[in-house]
């Protein structure tokens, strides 16, 4: 059994063509909790990733549904990808940085913090990274919160209890 698939199937039966990989924002449990909180609050409505994160070529797509995980890898929400576009790192704009929702929410802050993260990730993974590198820009919306205990949706509650 796959908890993430089961959660999506319980919420969106018969729509498995829309199901995508779970999303965990941040490289540490604390950052993942922060990222999940920003998404749940509506402050963070965009994220980015490197194309090398998808070696099989299967990238997120508009309409994709994913389970959002917290720092303990617990499901906290179902999110929908509302848009996907390749963009050069250097072409990220001020409104995009604001939608990214992290730090000071400015372009300068985004370039400093996220650029540092991309450069470190590239070095660890033997990838090249420059201002010209294409990244995948993804916009997101929370479509369902998943409470940690009881839920109003009996099918989701049953699925979560089965995997506890």
């Amino acid at each position: 059994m796959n908890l993430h698939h089961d959660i999506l199937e319980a919420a969106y039966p018969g729509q498995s063509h829309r199901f995508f990989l779970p999303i965990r924002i941040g490289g540490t449990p604390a950052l993942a909790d922060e990222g999940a909180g920003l998404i749940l609050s509506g402050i963070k409505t965009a994220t980015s990733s490197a194309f090398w994160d998808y070696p099989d070529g299967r990238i997120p797509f508009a309409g994709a549904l994913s389970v959002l995980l917290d720092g303990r890898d617990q499901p906290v929400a179902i999110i929908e990808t509302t848009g996907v576009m390749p963009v050069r790192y250097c072409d990220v704009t001020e409104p995009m940085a604001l939608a990214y929702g992290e730090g000071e929410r400015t372009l300068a802050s985004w370039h400093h913090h996220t650029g540092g993260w991309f450069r470190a990730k590239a070095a660890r993974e033997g990838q090249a990274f420059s201002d010209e590198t294409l990244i995948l820009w993804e916009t997101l919306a929370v479509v369902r919160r998943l409470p940690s205990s009881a839920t109003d949706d009996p099918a989701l509650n049953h699925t979560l209890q089965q995997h506890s």
Side-chain angles (χ1 to χ4, degrees):
M1 294 175 89
N2 180 318
L3 172 63
H4 307 124
H5 180 274
D6 292 350
I7 289 170
L8 293 171
E9 186 61 41
Y12 295 90
Q15 295 187 42
S16 62
H17 63 283
R18 297 178 63 198
F19 300 171
F20 202 72
L21 301 171
I23 293 179
R24 183 175 187 251
I25 303 295
T28 66
L31 289 174
D33 283 342
E34 182 181 332
L38 289 169
I39 290 171
L40 289 171
S41 70
I43 293 171
K44 182 173 181 63
T45 59
T47 193
S48 61
S49 55
F51 277 96
W52 68 78
D53 286 340
Y54 306 99
D56 64 358
R58 185 171 181 247
I59 63 171
F61 53 92
L65 298 168
S66 299
V67 174
L68 176 64
L69 304 175
D70 67 11
R72 293 163 304 286
D73 288 334
Q74 295 301 304
V76 295
I78 297 173
I79 57 175
E80 181 176 3
T81 299
T82 57
V84 178
M85 68 177 182
V87 61
R88 290 183 315 163
Y89 171 81
C90 63
D91 290 336
V92 171
T93 65
E94 195 75 44
M96 292 167 80
L98 180 66
Y100 208 77
E102 296 180 18
E104 297 170 6
R105 300 177 67 195
T106 65
L107 186 57
S109 175
W110 186 86
H111 275 291
H112 176 74
H113 294 288
T114 307
W117 181 83
F118 272 121
R119 284 179 181 83
K121 180 176 177 58
R124 279 191 314 273
E125 298 177 9
Q127 300 290 331
F129 185 81
S130 75
D131 285 353
E132 300 297 316
T133 299
L134 276 178
I135 59 173
L136 188 67
W137 192 267
E138 187 176 354
T139 53
L140 314 165
V142 175
V143 292
R144 184 172 298 199
R145 291 172 179 264
L146 301 173
S148 57
S149 57
T151 177
D152 293 335
D153 187 326
L156 280 177
N157 191 37
H158 178 72
T159 297
L160 290 171
Q161 287 177 353
Q162 280 183 314
H163 291 278
S164 296

